[in-house]
């Protein structure tokens, strides 16, 4: 299990685009890439595709819009966006900028520009989820309307005081992000504050106990094949 603390300090607000890889093949992760990105006010990522990977990202602070051909979807933190394999998408930050953590499985750094004159792809398109109404005390799907997970499966939990959940990597790799609040890893007697993260390899688990209320946890499962 790899644990990372104070990730927000790595992309402190400086009015410029900042990006740091937190987990990926270069850190020993097998199936997932996770990056933390500080997007300054007004910055826009134009439409592009990732030909091999299924993607999702979470807006941890700030606001903006997720973009796909013919549609712009408003985002206010905490929110999440799911991107099907090869689907054209972009992101525009609002007037205060935003902080987001993004996931890919399999890791695919290739970004292919998408010509807006091309024919728009058929559904399914982007899915957006508002995490402000997260269920308390248990892991629940971030995108319940999605028909099936191919490589990535995202969950979230909102914990009250001293509430516990188990983070368990069964037949997948699991990344957990403390989006707000703080938890204790009970087996290790270790505290992890927002924004912190841990990566569990297949077959490992840990119990997380909330030290603040509310504590929002994000859990992303990644597998090699559908």
């Amino acid at each position: 299990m790899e644990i990372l603390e104070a990730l927000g300090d790595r992309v402190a607000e400086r009015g410029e685009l900042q990006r740091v890889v937190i987990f990926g093949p270069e850190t020993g992760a097998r199936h997932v890439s996770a990056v933390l990105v500080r997007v300054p006010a007004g910055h826009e990522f134009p439409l592009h595709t990732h030909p091999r990977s299924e993607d999702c990202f979470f807006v941890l602070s700030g606001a903006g819009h997720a973009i796909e051909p013919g549609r712009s979807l408003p985002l206010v933190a905490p929110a999440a966006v799911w991107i099907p394999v090869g689907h054209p998408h972009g992101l525009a930050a609002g007037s205060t900028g935003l902080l987001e953590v993004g996931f890919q499985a399999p890791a695919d750094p290739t970004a292919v520009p998408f010509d807006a004159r091309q024919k728009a792809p058929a559904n399914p398109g982007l899915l957006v989820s508002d995490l402000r109404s997260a269920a308390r005390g248990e892991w629940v799907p971030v995108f319940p309307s999605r028909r099936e997970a191919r490589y990535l499966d995202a969950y979230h939990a909102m914990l009250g005081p001293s509430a516990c959940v188990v983070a368990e990597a069964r037949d997948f790799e699991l990344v957990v992000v403390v989006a707000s609040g703080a938890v204790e890893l009970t087996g290790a007697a270790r505290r992890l504050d927002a924004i912190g993260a841990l990566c569990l390899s297949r077959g490992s688990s840990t119990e997380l106990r909330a030290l603040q209320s509310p504590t929002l946890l994000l859990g992303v499962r990644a597998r090699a094949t559908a």
Side-chain angles (χ1 to χ4, degrees):
M1 179 171 59
E2 184 177 0
I3 302 172
L4 299 177
E5 301 179 275
L7 292 172
D9 294 346
R10 301 191 188 185
V11 289
E13 180 61 68
R14 295 200 297 262
E16 62 186 29
L17 182 66
Q18 299 173 73
R19 178 183 183 275
V20 61
V21 176
I22 54 178
F23 300 115
E26 56 268 60
T27 71
R30 296 185 60 194
H31 306 311
V32 68
S33 172
V35 297
L36 187 65
V37 185
R38 175 80 66 179
V39 188
H43 185 87
E44 182 173 332
F45 294 101
L47 288 172
H48 62 282
T49 66
H50 301 291
R52 295 178 54 243
S53 68
E54 184 174 17
D55 298 44
C56 70
F57 68 86
F58 299 86
V59 179
L60 304 179
S61 65
H65 286 80
I67 304 164
E68 64 181 345
R71 194 164 66 140
S72 178
L73 303 166
L75 302 171
V76 178
V81 180
W82 173 68
I83 304 152
V85 176
H87 188 77
H89 62 283
L91 176 66
S95 59
T96 61
L98 60 83
L99 179 65
E100 60 107 344
V101 59
F103 297 86
Q104 288 186 321
D108 180 14
T110 305
V112 179
F114 181 80
D115 188 338
R117 294 171 297 182
Q118 293 178 242
K119 183 179 179 181
N123 288 333
L126 301 183
L127 292 178
V128 173
S129 180
D130 182 347
L131 303 184
R132 289 173 291 183
S133 59
R136 289 187 174 272
E138 61 181 345
W139 293 110
V140 295
V142 173
F143 307 106
S145 64
R146 190 176 56 160
R147 286 176 293 182
E148 62 179 355
R150 186 169 179 182
Y151 304 118
L152 283 178
D153 206 5
Y155 290 78
H156 61 320
M158 188 75 79
L159 303 183
S162 298
C164 295
V165 292
V166 175
E168 182 179 9
R170 297 176 184 172
D171 58 344
F172 44 78
E173 208 162 39
L174 174 64
V175 175
V176 176
V177 175
V178 183
S180 63
V183 296
E184 179 188 30
L185 283 69
T186 58
R190 181 169 177 178
R191 179 185 176 108
L192 189 60
D193 291 272
I195 298 168
L198 55 101
C199 184
L200 289 85
S201 58
R202 182 174 177 175
S204 60
S205 65
T206 186
E207 185 180 62
L208 306 172
R209 181 174 67 86
L211 299 177
Q212 297 179 9
S213 181
T215 288
L216 176 60
L217 302 179
L218 311 172
V220 176
R221 305 171 178 177
R223 55 180 61 86
T225 57

